[in-house]
Amino acid sequence: MSEARAADGPTLGLLPAGRIGTRLALLSLAIGLAAVNTGNNLLYLILSLVLALAGLSAAASTWSLRRLRVTALLPEEAVRGEPFLIGVEVSGRFPLLPQTWVEIHLDGLPEPVELTVAVPSDRRRGVGSARAVIPRRGIFGGLTLRAATGYPLDLWLRRAGSLPWRGSLLVLPRHRRIAWLRILGSGRSAGEADSRSRLGGRAGTDLHNIRPYTTSDDARHIDWRSSARSGRLMVKEFEREQERRIDVVLDLEADDDVAFEEAVERCAAILDLARRESFDTRLLVPGAGAGLAGRDAMRRLAGVRPVRRAQAGPDRGDLAEALRLARRGAEVVVISADPARATPIEMA
């Protein structure tokens, strides 16, 4: 899930964590066995010095961990299945070595994020980052950090106590980018005019006419076949699209989790199109009250969960309640895991 990157600034190429400690432990064992077998007092003295050094190492590690400060640098939001960077800043005092490694674990996500940060003793600060991918959308609160270091001799990893940092991450649904949306069902109130007309607004996708090219036309709309037949440049004229008002209603009733996620992604794609084309669009979710627009609507999609049909009722997953909140005159699009309950649409 994550791939650690090195801290900012140069590193000094120290041995990896645990390598020095392993060698020192093996050396102590060898000296101890030799001292027992030979009875040499000098070997006992050397063994005592090594053990004293190990005790000093443990004391220095405890002293440094009490002064350790760790902060995670998270984005405000991420997108399901898309990589993003998580940064970690570590500050503390490690005076006995030119550089120390601190292992960091970020807990609370679907999979923990692990990285190692180098902290130079002269700067007392190190920054590292890890590339992470979250496999599902959601609101992940209560994120916590754990830190451990083998400073100074890497005899063992000592873990810091409770770190004060707490955080959260919002993971939005992933969606494909669409260029247009066509509502096939009667998604508007009876008697309302069709949303596509030839009056003003943005260019639509339905061909209306082919006429001679003028300097104010977009060259991308030139019809080369008609131009070849007529001997002069001809341009396609499309129907114009008036300002659209769309209420997107997400049906929470679903027994199939995969189908429900696809419905959520369709909602996200429509909201993204509305943002890019400046449509007046709201998201209505049963049980969530008034509709939301823009980023608030997309963030609402991050936390929605399906309601099993056996559990649906007036207070939970009631589609009729959300439909009553639709605006008069707006196109109403019901997005559902059940095709029989959904509004027929085309989008690409």
Side-chain angles (χ1 to χ4, degrees):
M1 171 181 168
S2 62
E3 177 184 348
R5 301 205 318 183
D8 63 340
T11 59
L12 302 181
L14 295 182
L15 289 174
R19 187 71 56 82
I20 298 177
T22 301
R23 292 180 176 180
L24 187 60
L26 293 175
L27 178 62
S28 301
L29 179 61
I31 293 175
L33 292 175
V36 171
N37 292 331
T38 63
N40 191 322
N41 291 332
L42 180 60
L43 292 178
Y44 280 112
L45 179 60
I46 295 175
L47 178 61
S48 299
L49 292 176
V50 172
L51 294 178
L53 184 61
L56 290 175
S57 172
S61 179
T62 302
W63 178 84
S64 298
L65 285 174
R66 289 176 179 173
R67 290 158 178 79
L68 191 67
R69 297 291 180 269
V70 183
T71 303
L73 310 174
L74 300 177
E76 291 186 2
E77 56 191 38
V79 178
R80 180 191 68 82
E82 295 185 2
F84 66 98
L85 285 181
I86 294 178
V88 175
E89 180 179 1
V90 179
S91 59
R93 298 182 62 185
F94 303 95
L96 300 180
L97 293 176
Q99 180 171 284
T100 301
W101 298 94
V102 180
E103 293 187 3
I104 304 298
H105 299 257
L106 175 63
D107 298 320
L109 294 174
E111 297 180 12
V113 177
E114 301 177 357
L115 67 158
T116 302
V117 180
V119 183
S121 58
D122 57 340
R123 296 167 57 184
R124 300 181 181 180
R125 175 181 174 272
V127 178
S129 62
R131 181 176 178 270
V133 177
I134 308 299
R136 66 173 187 267
R137 61 177 177 82
I139 303 173
F140 300 95
L143 303 183
T144 58
L145 290 173
R146 292 183 290 122
T149 180
Y151 170 84
L153 297 180
D154 293 326
L155 290 175
W156 51 74
L157 282 177
R158 295 184 63 85
R159 303 189 183 279
S162 178
L163 297 174
W165 184 87
R166 297 290 185 275
S168 62
L169 179 65
L170 183 72
V171 180
L172 303 177
R174 190 173 186 175
H175 60 276
R176 63 188 181 97
R177 184 184 178 95
I178 62 175
W180 52 268
L181 167 69
R182 179 178 294 112
I183 303 174
L184 304 180
S186 56
R188 62 181 62 83
S189 302
E192 291 293 326
D194 185 75
S195 63
R196 312 187 72 85
S197 70
R198 301 171 187 173
L199 303 175
R202 296 175 177 80
T205 58
D206 292 339
L207 181 63
H208 167 54
N209 190 21
I210 296 179
R211 58 172 175 78
Y213 174 81
T214 64
T215 56
S216 61
D217 291 323
D218 190 339
R220 293 175 298 179
H221 295 160
I222 293 177
D223 187 334
W224 295 106
R225 290 186 178 181
S226 299
S227 300
R229 288 195 298 267
S230 62
R232 58 177 178 172
L233 288 178
M234 305 293 290
V235 66
K236 298 176 182 178
E237 184 178 33
F238 296 93
E239 291 184 341
R240 312 299 291 179
E241 187 170 28
Q242 295 177 336
E243 186 67 26
R244 302 184 72 173
R245 299 178 67 204
I246 304 175
D247 280 347
V248 180
V249 183
L250 175 61
D251 182 14
L252 297 182
E253 291 188 32
D255 292 329
D256 186 341
D257 291 338
V258 175
F260 181 76
E261 287 302 315
E262 293 175 352
V264 171
E265 292 175 4
R266 287 196 295 273
C267 285
I270 295 174
L271 291 175
D272 177 66
L273 173 65
R275 176 189 59 81
R276 289 185 281 109
E277 298 295 337
S278 299
F279 294 157
D280 180 9
T281 302
R282 298 190 315 167
L283 173 69
L284 297 171
V285 178
L292 296 176
R295 297 305 300 174
D296 292 335
M298 193 71 79
R299 293 167 74 91
R300 171 68 60 80
L301 285 178
V304 294
R305 292 291 178 263
V307 176
R308 305 309 178 193
R309 293 185 179 179
Q311 302 172 345
D315 299 327
R316 190 178 184 194
D318 187 5
L319 181 61
E321 172 202 356
L323 289 173
R324 286 193 292 268
L325 297 176
R327 295 169 295 180
R328 180 178 178 81
E331 299 175 85
V332 179
V333 181
V334 177
I335 305 297
S336 175
D338 182 358
R341 295 164 61 92
T343 301
I345 60 173
E346 289 182 355
M347 57 185 190

